[in-house]
Every structure is written in C-alpha cells, then in structure tokens.
Amino acid sequence: MTTKLDGIAIKAKSQTKLRFTALAHLITPAFLVETWRQMNRRGASGVDHETTQEFERNLDQRCQDIVDRLKARQYQAPPVRRVEIPKGGGKTRPLGIPTVEDRLVQRAVARILEAIYEADFLPFSYGFRPGRSPHLALQALRKHLKTDKVSYLFETDIRGFFNHLNHDWLMRMLALRIGDPVILRLIAKWLKAGALVNGIIVKNDEGSPQGGPISPILANIYLHYALDLWFERRFARGCQGEAYLVRFADDFVACFQHAHEARRFQVAVADRLGGFGLELAEEKTRLLTFGRFARDRLKGKTPETFVFLGFKHVCGTDRWGKYAPLRIPSTKSCRKFLDRVHEWLTRYMHLNVWRQQAQLRMMLNGFYQYFGLHHCRPTLARIHAEVCRQWFRVLRRRSQRPPTWKYLATQAWFELPLVSRALHPSI
C-alpha cells in the first residue's frame, strides 16, 4: 500500500494540476491495518468509550467491516468528545477526541491527502508535515535573520483558526486536486459531525475540531491556498527588497528588508485572510525592527523581542562578537511546563518515589529535547532546580517526618537529569 501512495506522490509532483478522481479504492482492509500499525495507540476513547485495546482485539474483522460500510455508503462519522485543555493565562482550548474507529479512518484518508499535497506545499510551511519539525522552522527563521537582508519582522496570530475554518472554502480548495466523491463526502461528514458537550451534540457551520488526525492536513491545505500561494506568487514578487515567510501550522512570521513593504503586508494579509473568514488577533499583531541591521536603524537602542514556537528571540551576539539571533525558552513555555509538573506531583504525591522519579525524568528530558538550543542552558538549569524544589515540597507534605534537603541530596532516587550540552547544536 505504501508503494501505491508513492506512485500517487510521484504523479502529483509531475502533474501539478491533475485531479485525482479514484482514491477510495486505496482504503482496503490491508491499508487500514497498515495505518493502524503507524498510529499512536495510546489515545483516549471517544463518545463510545471504546479503547484502542478493545478495537485491536478483532482488528482484521473491524477493518473489513469499515471497508464494507464505506463501499455501501453507510459509514457515519460520529461526533467527537470535546474536552478543554489548558492554554495558559486561565484560558482553555477545545479539543475534539474522535472514536478509535473514526480516528483510524481519518488517519487513512490523511495519508492519501499527504501523498498528494506534499508535492504542492511550499518549502516555508513546516507544521505537521512528514520530515518537518518546529526545529527546522526555527532554523529557517534564524538563517533569514542572520544572513539575509532582513530588518523588519511582522508577527501575528490567527484568532481561533481551527474554530473559524470555512467549510465551503475548504471543500472548494480540496476540489482543485481531489475529484473522488467518496473522499470528499467523508471529509464533509467529519466537518459536520459536531461535538458532544454535556450530553448534547453541538454542530458548527465552520471550524475543524483539533484532535482528529485529519485536522492538521486540512489546516495546511486551507492556509496553503489562503496564505502561502498568495505570499509567494503575488506579494513577494511585488516587493523591491527581500521578503520571507516561515509558517508552522497557523503560526507564522514574515521578514522584510524594507519597512514600507512590511507595513503594506500588515494591511494586505489582514484583507487576504479576511476574505477566507479568518481574523488576525490585534493584541498579538506587531511590526518590529529586528535583524542584523536593527541596532543601526534604531540608533543604538535595544531591539524588541518576539516569541515564535515557544522561544523568545533576542538580537544578541555570538562568541566572536558578531550579530546572532538568540533563542531562549519563553516565560510562558516555562510556566506551562512547571504548572504541568506541579499538577502531576500534586495528583500523584502518593506514588512510590522511584515511580515519581521515572515520570519527572521523562518530563524533564522531553523539555530538554525541545528547548536544548544554544544559549538555553541557564534557563534549563533553573527549570531543573525548580522541579527539584517542587518535588521536595511534595515529599515534605506527605510525610509525618519531613525529610531534609541534605538527606534527599544523598539519595539515588532523588537524582533528576541535568541539562548537558546543547542537544541541537546545528539549529
């Protein structure tokens, strides 16, 4: 089945305007089983409360049943189970959890769409794509800021992107490359399925629930037509100086050589996205002077900083005294991580200390792996010290004879990993 997807990818790359009218035949029991093996099978259950272990017991039979219903046009997309996850600042983000069966079908269709649209997506799009990561987006942005003629940077945030994604526009965009009515009908069902909230099914005329495997590829397709193509083929070509865009899902920054072109982009991008039902968050929209010429243009004043993908970017210098954009974990990222550690310790303060250590080691290593860039070691060391202090306070609370710090420092189970050298020296 992977070979067939490779063939579709080759055809999509060689024929950029080809509409694929026969794709549903790829969804076979074998294709679904192969997709299942590639999925994360530790996800939560949906509205039917079926777990991944229960679904996997009769995997072959369940996959055959799904294919039979798809062929008979009897497959129904169930509503997602909505949960609220912390977003920071007391805010929450709605997350839609599909049923295990629906998650499998969504991932199968997403694989087919990825094979087609990976040939179309532009190089400056990094979000939720095979072989791409936030670190590659950060590396591209650093290259623009350090070596290209960039003096002005525009940062913004699309207000509630996944909640305001226009269904009609999305289906029109998909129809440019997808001509198979079965695939289009499936996607339309997922968009209209709604969410189960307090026992009531709430249906929306716009938006795509975050949490389903199909949502990231649909978001990339939407912004590919609404933003990426417009920037590359229309706006950037009309610029006298250099202009660059770096996008990760719905987060993007634009870099410019000239101030008047940056100001023109600020107005034009709001009008462009507004035509597709999207709105920029004014409180998160800024045009700032940044780059290797920033201090000269600001006549010695310190340039402003900005946050992208969890890192605060600062105009600094490297070890040789030359300009370099410094990336350090943002205050918000550190606070969210420490809040998550505190919540886990409070909830599981009764666990054996060795099990607590294993969990804290895993959480710290994950934080190090993402934020282990140059100039981040002091911040990571502070995070390590704060996690140790939180654990120390929890251990004292649960004991009638509270241990001292001097005693804990001698215990092997109290050791947590320290940050070593930068884990990503080339980024």
Side-chain angles (χ1 to χ4, degrees):
M1 300 310 302
T2 304
T3 304
K4 292 183 179 180
L5 290 182
D6 292 340
I8 289 176
I10 294 172
K11 188 176 292 186
K13 188 174 183 179
S14 61
Q15 304 180 50
T16 57
K17 295 186 179 180
L18 176 66
R19 292 182 76 232
F20 292 83
T21 57
L23 295 170
H25 70 279
L26 294 173
I27 306 179
T28 63
F31 184 73
L32 291 178
V33 171
E34 180 183 288
T35 303
W36 178 260
R37 304 301 182 197
Q38 299 175 5
M39 290 175 55
N40 174 19
R41 297 190 291 278
R42 295 181 296 175
S45 56
V47 294
D48 61 355
H49 304 292
E50 183 182 35
T51 64
T52 55
Q53 293 79 13
E54 293 171 347
F55 183 88
E56 197 170 22
R57 288 172 189 164
N58 299 309
L59 181 61
D60 294 335
Q61 182 180 348
R62 294 294 297 273
C63 290
Q64 182 63 56
D65 178 61
I66 291 172
V67 173
D68 292 341
R69 280 183 285 148
L70 288 173
K71 290 181 178 179
R73 298 186 179 182
Q74 295 176 348
Y75 184 84
Q76 297 296 325
V80 298
R81 180 169 64 89
R82 178 173 293 176
V83 297
E84 300 290 337
I85 58 175
K87 188 179 178 181
K91 299 180 180 179
T92 60
R93 184 194 306 274
L95 185 69
I97 303 178
T99 62
V100 177
E101 178 184 87
D102 200 49
R103 198 181 309 158
L104 173 60
V105 181
Q106 286 191 32
R107 183 63 195 128
V109 174
R111 289 181 64 195
I112 297 173
L113 295 181
E114 286 173 359
I116 297 171
Y117 283 98
E118 274 300 308
D120 295 349
F121 290 153
L122 299 179
F124 53 75
S125 169
Y126 293 90
F128 306 111
R129 292 179 56 189
R132 302 224 160 192
S133 68
H135 287 152
L136 292 180
L138 292 166
Q139 185 179 22
L141 179 59
R142 185 175 189 272
K143 185 260 181 186
H144 295 322
L145 296 174
K146 187 174 182 179
T147 63
D148 295 326
K149 297 177 181 179
V150 169
S151 298
Y152 302 93
L153 185 138
F154 175 79
E155 67 158 339
T156 188
D157 183 65
I158 301 177
R159 193 188 304 277
F161 169 71
F162 284 92
N163 298 331
H164 297 98
L165 190 145
N166 186 281
H167 293 174
D168 294 335
W169 269 118
L170 177 59
M171 298 308 296
R172 289 170 62 182
M173 294 170 180
L174 287 167
L176 295 175
R177 286 294 249 169
I178 309 297
D180 191 322
V182 177
I183 300 297
L184 293 176
R185 216 168 21 241
L186 266 177
I187 295 174
K189 286 182 178 181
W190 288 320
L191 293 175
K192 301 292 184 182
L196 187 66
V197 183
N198 298 325
I200 301 175
I201 297 178
V202 179
K203 295 191 176 183
N204 299 319
D205 295 329
E206 61 179 7
S208 175
Q210 291 178 263
I214 198 70
S215 292
I217 181 68
L218 294 182
N220 273 334
I221 293 171
Y222 199 88
L223 287 176
H224 170 73
Y225 289 104
L227 178 64
D228 297 355
L229 288 177
W230 168 79
F231 180 84
E232 184 183 67
R233 299 181 181 179
R234 295 280 299 278
F235 190 88
R237 288 183 181 180
C239 291
Q240 296 176 345
E242 297 182 11
Y244 306 99
L245 184 72
V246 178
R247 181 175 68 83
F248 188 91
D250 59 327
D251 295 331
F252 67 91
V253 294
C255 308
F256 299 94
Q257 181 179 355
H258 300 307
H260 69 277
E261 291 172 346
R263 288 192 291 267
R264 184 164 63 89
F265 177 79
Q266 184 174 7
V267 176
V269 72
D271 293 339
R272 173 69 180 182
L273 294 179
F276 291 91
L278 301 177
E279 179 186 3
L280 298 182
E282 295 183 2
E283 67 277 7
K284 297 182 180 179
T285 299
R286 285 193 307 160
L287 182 61
L288 59 152
T289 304
F290 202 94
R292 54 189 174 131
F293 309 109
R295 290 187 181 274
D296 294 337
R297 296 185 183 278
L298 293 173
K299 299 180 180 180
K301 295 182 180 179
T302 303
E304 295 182 78
T305 63
F306 70 95
V307 176
F308 183 59
L309 298 181
F311 286 90
K312 182 172 74 171
H313 291 66
V314 182
C315 282
T317 56
D318 58 19
R319 67 185 68 179
W320 297 282
K322 296 181 179 180
Y323 163 79
L326 310 183
R327 286 84 50 86
I328 58 178
S330 67
T331 302
K332 181 179 178 180
S333 299
C334 295
R335 185 176 63 248
K336 287 176 64 176
F337 174 74
L338 291 175
D339 288 346
R340 188 158 55 91
V341 171
H342 179 265
E343 180 183 358
W344 188 89
L345 283 172
T346 304
R347 185 176 181 180
Y348 296 102
M349 63 185 301
H350 60 280
L351 288 183
N352 178 275
V353 291
W354 289 102
R355 293 181 62 184
Q356 288 181 338
Q357 184 203 40
Q359 176 65 22
L360 294 176
R361 288 177 65 92
M362 182 179 67
M363 296 174 77
L364 273 174
N365 283 327
F367 192 82
Y368 295 160
Q369 287 173 8
Y370 184 77
F371 289 102
L373 305 185
H374 291 298
H375 311 288
C376 292
R377 292 188 65 185
T379 303
L380 300 186
R382 288 195 295 269
I383 291 294
H384 172 271
E386 181 59 29
V387 170
C388 290
R389 281 193 291 268
Q390 288 189 11
W391 193 14
F392 171 68
R393 288 193 291 266
V394 166
L395 292 174
R396 287 181 64 85
R397 280 180 57 196
R398 78 175 194 175
S399 176
Q400 294 181 352
R401 299 177 62 185
T404 64
W405 184 271
K406 184 177 180 180
Y407 165 76
L408 291 176
T410 62
Q411 303 302 305
W413 54 263
F414 193 68
E415 294 180 3
L416 293 178
L418 291 166
V419 59
S420 57
R421 294 181 180 272
L423 298 177
H424 308 284
S426 62
I427 296 177

